[in-house]
Coordinates of all heavy atoms in Angstrom, one line a residue:
P19 N 6.3 6.6 3.1 CA 7.1 7.5 2.2 C 8.2 6.7 1.5 O 8.7 7.1 0.5 CB 7.7 8.5 3.2 CG 6.8 8.5 4.4 CD 6.2 7.1 4.5
H20 N 8.7 5.5 2.1 CA 9.7 4.7 1.5 C 9.2 3.8 0.4 O 9.9 3.4 -0.5 CB 10.4 3.9 2.5 CG 11.0 4.7 3.7 ND1 12.0 5.6 3.5 CD2 10.7 4.7 5.0 CE1 12.4 6.1 4.6 NE2 11.5 5.7 5.6
L21 N 7.9 3.6 0.4 CA 7.3 2.7 -0.7 C 7.4 3.4 -2.0 O 7.6 2.7 -3.0 CB 5.8 2.4 -0.3 CG 5.5 1.6 0.9 CD1 4.0 1.5 1.2 CD2 6.1 0.2 0.8
S22 N 7.2 4.7 -2.1 CA 7.2 5.4 -3.4 C 8.6 5.4 -4.0 O 8.7 5.8 -5.2 CB 6.7 6.8 -3.2 OG 7.4 7.5 -2.3
T23 N 9.6 5.1 -3.3 CA 11.0 5.1 -3.8 C 11.3 3.8 -4.6 O 12.3 3.7 -5.2 CB 12.1 5.2 -2.7 OG1 12.0 4.1 -1.8 CG2 11.8 6.5 -1.9
H24 N 10.4 2.8 -4.5 CA 10.5 1.6 -5.2 C 9.5 1.4 -6.4 O 8.4 1.9 -6.2 CB 10.4 0.4 -4.3 CG 11.4 0.4 -3.2 ND1 12.7 -0.1 -3.3 CD2 11.3 0.8 -1.9 CE1 13.4 0.0 -2.2 NE2 12.6 0.6 -1.3
A25 N 9.9 0.7 -7.4 CA 9.0 0.5 -8.5 C 8.2 -0.8 -8.2 O 8.3 -1.8 -8.9 CB 9.7 0.3 -9.8
L26 N 7.3 -0.7 -7.2 CA 6.6 -1.9 -6.8 C 5.5 -2.3 -7.8 O 4.8 -1.4 -8.3 CB 5.9 -1.6 -5.4 CG 6.8 -1.5 -4.2 CD1 6.0 -1.1 -3.0 CD2 7.6 -2.8 -3.9
L27 N 5.4 -3.6 -8.0 CA 4.3 -4.1 -8.8 C 3.2 -4.7 -7.9 O 2.1 -4.7 -8.3 CB 4.8 -5.2 -9.7 CG 5.9 -4.8 -10.7 CD1 6.4 -6.0 -11.5 CD2 5.5 -3.7 -11.6
D28 N 3.6 -5.2 -6.7 CA 2.7 -5.9 -5.8 C 2.9 -5.4 -4.4 O 4.0 -5.4 -3.9 CB 2.9 -7.4 -5.9 CG 1.9 -8.2 -5.1 OD1 1.0 -7.6 -4.5 OD2 2.0 -9.4 -5.2
L29 N 1.8 -4.9 -3.8 CA 1.9 -4.4 -2.4 C 0.7 -5.0 -1.6 O -0.4 -4.9 -2.0 CB 1.8 -2.9 -2.4 CG 1.8 -2.2 -1.0 CD1 3.0 -2.6 -0.2 CD2 1.6 -0.7 -1.1
S30 N 1.0 -5.6 -0.5 CA 0.0 -6.2 0.4 C 0.1 -5.8 1.8 O 1.2 -5.9 2.4 CB 0.1 -7.8 0.3 OG -0.8 -8.3 1.2
L31 N -0.9 -5.2 2.3 CA -1.0 -4.8 3.7 C -2.3 -5.4 4.4 O -2.8 -4.9 5.3 CB -1.1 -3.3 3.9 CG 0.2 -2.5 3.6 CD1 0.3 -2.1 2.2 CD2 0.3 -1.3 4.5
A32 N -2.7 -6.5 3.8 CA -3.9 -7.2 4.2 C -3.9 -7.7 5.7 O -2.8 -8.0 6.2 CB -4.3 -8.3 3.3
R33 N -5.0 -7.7 6.3 CA -5.2 -8.2 7.7 C -4.4 -7.4 8.7 O -3.8 -8.0 9.6 CB -4.9 -9.7 7.7 CG -5.6 -10.3 8.9 CD -5.6 -11.8 8.9 NE -6.2 -12.4 10.1 CZ -6.4 -13.7 10.3 NH1 -6.0 -14.6 9.4 NH2 -7.0 -14.1 11.4
N34 N -4.4 -6.1 8.6 CA -3.8 -5.2 9.6 C -4.9 -4.2 9.9 O -5.0 -3.1 9.4 CB -2.6 -4.5 9.0 CG -1.4 -5.4 8.8 OD1 -0.8 -5.8 9.7 ND2 -1.1 -5.7 7.5
R35 N -5.8 -4.6 10.9 CA -6.9 -3.8 11.2 C -6.6 -2.5 12.0 O -7.4 -1.7 12.2 CB -8.0 -4.6 11.9 CG -8.6 -5.8 11.1 CD -9.8 -6.3 11.7 NE -10.9 -5.3 11.8 CZ -11.7 -5.0 10.8 NH1 -11.5 -5.5 9.6 NH2 -12.7 -4.1 11.0
G36 N -5.3 -2.5 12.4 CA -4.9 -1.3 13.1 C -4.7 -0.1 12.1 O -4.4 1.0 12.6
I37 N -4.7 -0.4 10.8 CA -4.4 0.7 9.9 C -5.5 1.7 9.9 O -5.3 2.9 10.0 CB -4.2 0.1 8.5 CG1 -2.9 -0.7 8.4 CG2 -4.2 1.2 7.4 CD1 -2.6 -1.4 7.1
G38 N -6.8 1.3 9.7 CA -7.9 2.1 9.7 C -7.9 3.3 8.7 O -7.1 3.3 7.8
V39 N -8.8 4.2 8.9 CA -9.0 5.3 8.0 C -7.7 6.2 8.0 O -7.2 6.6 6.9 CB -10.2 6.2 8.4 CG1 -10.3 7.4 7.5 CG2 -11.5 5.4 8.4
A40 N -7.2 6.5 9.1 CA -6.0 7.4 9.2 C -4.8 6.7 8.5 O -4.0 7.4 7.8 CB -5.6 7.7 10.7
G41 N -4.6 5.4 8.7 CA -3.5 4.7 8.0 C -3.7 4.7 6.5 O -2.7 4.9 5.8
I42 N -4.9 4.5 6.0 CA -5.1 4.5 4.5 C -4.9 5.9 4.0 O -4.3 6.1 2.9 CB -6.6 4.1 4.2 CG1 -6.8 2.6 4.6 CG2 -6.9 4.3 2.8 CD1 -5.9 1.7 3.8
A43 N -5.3 7.0 4.7 CA -5.0 8.3 4.3 C -3.5 8.6 4.3 O -3.1 9.4 3.4 CB -5.7 9.3 5.3
A44 N -2.8 8.0 5.2 CA -1.3 8.2 5.1 C -0.6 7.5 4.0 O 0.4 7.9 3.4 CB -0.7 7.8 6.5
L45 N -1.2 6.3 3.7 CA -0.6 5.4 2.7 C -0.9 5.9 1.2 O 0.0 5.9 0.4 CB -1.1 4.0 2.8 CG -0.8 3.0 1.7 CD1 0.6 2.7 1.7 CD2 -1.7 1.8 1.9
A46 N -2.1 6.4 1.0 CA -2.6 6.6 -0.4 C -1.7 7.6 -1.2 O -1.4 7.2 -2.3 CB -4.0 7.2 -0.3
P47 N -1.2 8.7 -0.6 CA -0.4 9.6 -1.5 C 1.0 9.0 -1.9 O 1.6 9.5 -2.8 CB -0.2 10.8 -0.6 CG -1.3 10.7 0.5 CD -1.5 9.3 0.7
H48 N 1.4 8.0 -1.2 CA 2.7 7.4 -1.4 C 2.6 6.1 -2.3 O 3.7 5.4 -2.4 CB 3.4 7.1 -0.1 CG 3.6 8.4 0.7 ND1 4.6 9.3 0.4 CD2 3.0 8.8 1.8 CE1 4.5 10.3 1.3 NE2 3.6 10.0 2.1
L49 N 1.5 5.7 -2.8 CA 1.4 4.5 -3.6 C 2.2 4.6 -4.8 O 2.1 5.6 -5.6 CB -0.1 4.2 -3.9 CG -1.0 3.8 -2.8 CD1 -2.4 3.6 -3.3 CD2 -0.5 2.4 -2.2
P50 N 3.1 3.7 -5.1 CA 3.9 3.8 -6.3 C 3.1 3.8 -7.6 O 2.1 3.0 -7.7 CB 4.8 2.5 -6.3 CG 4.8 2.1 -4.8 CD 3.5 2.5 -4.3
R51 N 3.4 4.6 -8.5 CA 2.7 4.6 -9.8 C 2.8 3.3 -10.6 O 2.0 3.1 -11.6 CB 3.1 5.8 -10.6 CG 3.0 7.2 -10.0 CD 1.6 7.6 -9.7 NE 1.1 7.2 -8.4 CZ -0.1 7.3 -8.0 NH1 -1.0 7.8 -8.8 NH2 -0.5 7.0 -6.8
T52 N 3.7 2.5 -10.3 CA 4.0 1.3 -11.0 C 3.1 0.1 -10.5 O 3.2 -1.0 -11.1 CB 5.4 0.9 -10.9 OG1 5.8 0.8 -9.5 CG2 6.3 1.9 -11.6
L53 N 2.3 0.3 -9.5 CA 1.6 -0.8 -8.9 C 0.6 -1.5 -9.9 O -0.1 -0.8 -10.6 CB 0.8 -0.3 -7.7 CG 1.4 -0.4 -6.3 CD1 0.4 0.0 -5.3 CD2 2.0 -1.8 -6.0
R54 N 0.6 -2.8 -9.9 CA -0.3 -3.6 -10.7 C -1.3 -4.3 -9.8 O -2.4 -4.6 -10.2 CB 0.4 -4.6 -11.5 CG 1.3 -4.0 -12.6 CD 0.5 -3.3 -13.6 NE 1.3 -2.7 -14.7 CZ 1.8 -1.5 -14.6 NH1 1.5 -0.7 -13.6 NH2 2.6 -1.0 -15.6
R55 N -0.9 -4.6 -8.5 CA -1.8 -5.3 -7.6 C -1.7 -4.7 -6.2 O -0.6 -4.5 -5.7 CB -1.4 -6.8 -7.5 CG -2.3 -7.7 -6.6 CD -1.8 -9.1 -6.7 NE -2.7 -10.0 -6.0 CZ -2.6 -10.3 -4.7 NH1 -1.6 -9.7 -3.9 NH2 -3.4 -11.1 -4.1
L56 N -2.8 -4.4 -5.6 CA -2.8 -3.8 -4.3 C -3.8 -4.5 -3.4 O -5.0 -4.6 -3.7 CB -3.2 -2.3 -4.4 CG -3.4 -1.5 -3.1 CD1 -2.1 -1.5 -2.3 CD2 -3.8 -0.1 -3.3
N57 N -3.4 -5.1 -2.3 CA -4.2 -5.9 -1.4 C -4.3 -5.2 -0.1 O -3.4 -5.1 0.7 CB -3.6 -7.3 -1.2 CG -4.5 -8.2 -0.4 OD1 -5.5 -7.8 0.1 ND2 -4.2 -9.5 -0.3
L58 N -5.5 -4.6 0.2 CA -5.8 -3.9 1.4 C -7.0 -4.6 2.1 O -7.8 -3.9 2.8 CB -6.1 -2.4 1.1 CG -5.0 -1.6 0.5 CD1 -5.4 -0.2 0.2 CD2 -3.8 -1.5 1.6
C59 N -7.2 -5.9 2.0 CA -8.3 -6.6 2.6 C -8.2 -6.5 4.1 O -7.1 -6.6 4.7 CB -8.3 -8.0 2.2 SG -8.7 -8.3 0.5
N60 N -9.3 -6.3 4.8 CA -9.4 -6.4 6.2 C -8.4 -5.4 6.9 O -7.7 -5.8 7.8 CB -9.0 -7.8 6.7 CG -9.7 -8.2 8.0 OD1 -10.4 -7.4 8.6 ND2 -9.3 -9.3 8.5

């Protein structure tokens, strides 16, 4: 919820395998509209 308060251009949460499906579902609605690069590898 705090990510959407910033005008982020670059966000990386790569190599955090504890995130899983539930974590992605929690993250997705709060992705800043300003993002140009999103790294969710692994």
Side-chain angles (χ1 to χ4, degrees):
H20 302 295
L21 294 175
S22 57
T23 64
H24 297 279
L26 292 176
L27 302 176
D28 186 356
L29 175 61
S30 175
L31 289 88
R33 201 168 180 178
N34 289 286
R35 295 195 61 80
I37 293 178
V39 178
I42 295 296
L45 169 71
H48 299 286
L49 289 176
R51 301 294 94 187
T52 53
L53 270 185
R54 295 294 181 268
R55 182 178 186 271
L56 177 60
N57 186 352
L58 295 174
C59 292
N60 204 5

